[in-house]
Amino acid sequence: MNTIPSFNLYLDGDGIVEPRFLHIETIPMRSRENDWTIRPHRHPELFQFLLLTAGAADMQLEGTTARLIAPALTAVTPNAIHGYVFRPDTEGYVLTVAEAYLTELVGHADDAAARDAIRTSAIVPLANDQEMVEEIRLACERVLFESRREQAGKHALVAADLLRILGLFIRLTESAREAKNDPTVPDNLFERFRTLVEECFREQLTITDYAERLATSERTLRRATQARSGRTPLEILKQRTLLEAQRDLLYTARSVAEVAYGLGFEDQAYFSRFFASGTGLTPTQFRKQHKSYLTATPEPDTAAL
């Protein structure tokens, strides 16, 4: 079975991630030697920020392509499939942090928004936030400087700048926090729902099932998800299922029937209709149109639709 490459740090191979692993480099440092192209890959246990301060890039993120024009900021969660084709004059920083380390820092900060932020990949244009760009750039510059030193206080200074970068990222991406101000909605309901979806999306549970497992009503659950994300619980669930279907179709050689079964669908035709309603393409059409994203050509999909 063909799979997407899994690297601890771009092309450095597999291995055990140290609990407080951190690495920062400029974009040209690694991209120049690879003809400014980083093929699609994933980082188990690593969270990554990329700050684009000059130039441009085409970013592949979970099967879709986005055009990045500087200034821009991206955040990539562990195991999210991503790649870049940079314009040769591109400048900026790539900051990679162990998920365990970032989770530890966020735990000390006791910030629910931060806990949500490190679970979601995002692309943030910064053309209208030049002050934010400069703050994040300076923080990255300080982390790069400190990472090359072995002096007292190094880890405290680096941790402070990591939290600063994360905090600025949250300010840029968090459009609403109404759920926090609504006394009828438990503070962590949205977070608990997201966690449950991650654990159970293959089981084909209904929203009623999710509400019951969370000991809340469907109405309260809907208010929580719409306030925090602008989406209904069903939309979040469908999007997570579609994302996994796209991953399987793009980066494995499984047949459409195998992908459907792996996601809890007993009827392949129903899965194909579900997939087409969310993407505008049948599973086979989607796979054919996105073959260029693969690092190896998958086996032909002969399953009938």
Side-chain angles (χ1 to χ4, degrees):
M1 178 182 298
N2 296 315
T3 58
I4 198 70
S6 178
F7 299 125
N8 274 349
L9 189 60
Y10 284 139
L11 307 178
D12 293 339
D14 293 319
I16 298 173
V17 176
E18 295 182 4
R20 291 195 173 186
F21 174 85
L22 179 144
H23 179 85
I24 187 168
E25 63 187 24
T26 64
I27 290 173
M29 285 174 65
R30 192 173 303 258
S31 301
R32 185 183 286 116
E33 66 186 34
N34 288 291
D35 197 26
W36 297 94
T37 299
I38 304 298
R39 298 294 297 273
H41 61 285
R42 69 171 98 213
H43 302 302
E45 303 178 61
L46 295 174
F47 188 97
Q48 192 170 81
F49 284 112
L50 182 142
L51 176 66
L52 203 70
T53 58
D58 290 320
M59 179 184 185
Q60 296 176 23
L61 180 61
E62 299 289 22
T64 63
T65 300
R67 181 66 170 169
L68 307 180
I69 304 293
L73 179 68
T74 72
V76 178
T77 55
N79 284 313
I81 299 165
H82 62 291
Y84 301 91
V85 178
F86 295 103
R87 204 168 69 189
D89 62 344
T90 299
E91 298 287 345
Y93 293 93
V94 182
L95 173 60
T96 308
V97 188
E99 180 184 22
Y101 185 23
L102 205 54
T103 300
E104 176 188 341
L105 293 176
V106 166
H108 290 315
D110 193 24
D111 188 325
R115 289 194 295 269
D116 289 344
I118 62 176
R119 292 175 176 168
T120 307
S121 297
I123 299 173
V124 186
L126 299 176
N128 298 321
D129 295 281
Q130 292 298 328
E131 289 187 11
M132 290 279 201
V133 174
E134 185 61 11
E135 283 196 63
I136 296 172
R137 187 193 68 78
L138 289 173
C140 287
E141 193 173 276
R142 290 192 297 268
V143 171
L144 180 60
F145 178 73
E146 289 294 337
S147 68
R148 296 174 173 176
R149 290 156 52 99
E150 290 299 334
Q151 294 190 8
K154 166 184 174 177
H155 296 296
L157 291 171
V158 168
D161 274 317
L162 281 178
L163 283 174
R164 184 164 192 80
I165 292 168
L166 181 60
L168 293 170
F169 169 69
I170 292 167
R171 286 189 178 181
L172 290 163
T173 57
E174 192 81 359
S175 59
R177 298 290 301 276
E178 291 89 348
K180 287 290 183 181
N181 300 320
D182 185 348
T184 67
V185 177
D187 282 350
N188 63 348
L189 179 57
F190 176 73
E191 180 184 334
R192 289 191 295 120
F193 174 66
R194 288 280 300 276
T195 299
L196 191 59
V197 167
E198 196 64 30
E199 294 173 353
C200 303
F201 70 89
R202 297 178 187 275
E203 298 179 22
Q204 294 295 307
L205 301 178
T206 66
I207 298 304
T208 300
D209 294 329
Y210 278 98
E212 289 178 353
R213 293 193 182 191
L214 292 168
T216 189
S217 68
E218 291 183 59
R219 183 168 177 267
T220 299
L221 180 59
R222 174 185 284 265
R223 284 207 308 275
T225 62
Q226 287 186 321
R228 291 290 294 276
S229 71
R231 293 180 294 169
T232 67
L234 185 59
E235 288 170 339
I236 292 172
L237 178 59
K238 283 185 174 180
Q239 188 59 43
R240 181 63 186 90
T241 306
L242 275 173
L243 174 60
E244 199 67 20
Q246 291 171 330
R247 284 176 170 173
D248 287 345
L249 290 167
L250 288 177
Y251 306 115
T252 77
R254 296 172 191 152
S255 69
V256 173
E258 289 171 329
V259 171
Y261 181 77
L263 292 171
F265 291 85
E266 296 182 0
D267 185 340
Q268 181 187 330
Y270 176 70
F271 166 72
S272 295
R273 290 194 298 272
F274 167 84
F275 189 89
S277 70
T279 65
L281 299 170
T282 67
T284 299
Q285 290 170 337
F286 179 85
R287 174 172 270 168
K288 287 180 179 179
Q289 286 196 15
H290 292 78
K291 275 187 177 181
S292 61
Y293 295 145
L294 300 174
T295 57
T297 304
E299 296 174 9
D301 182 2
T302 57
L305 291 178

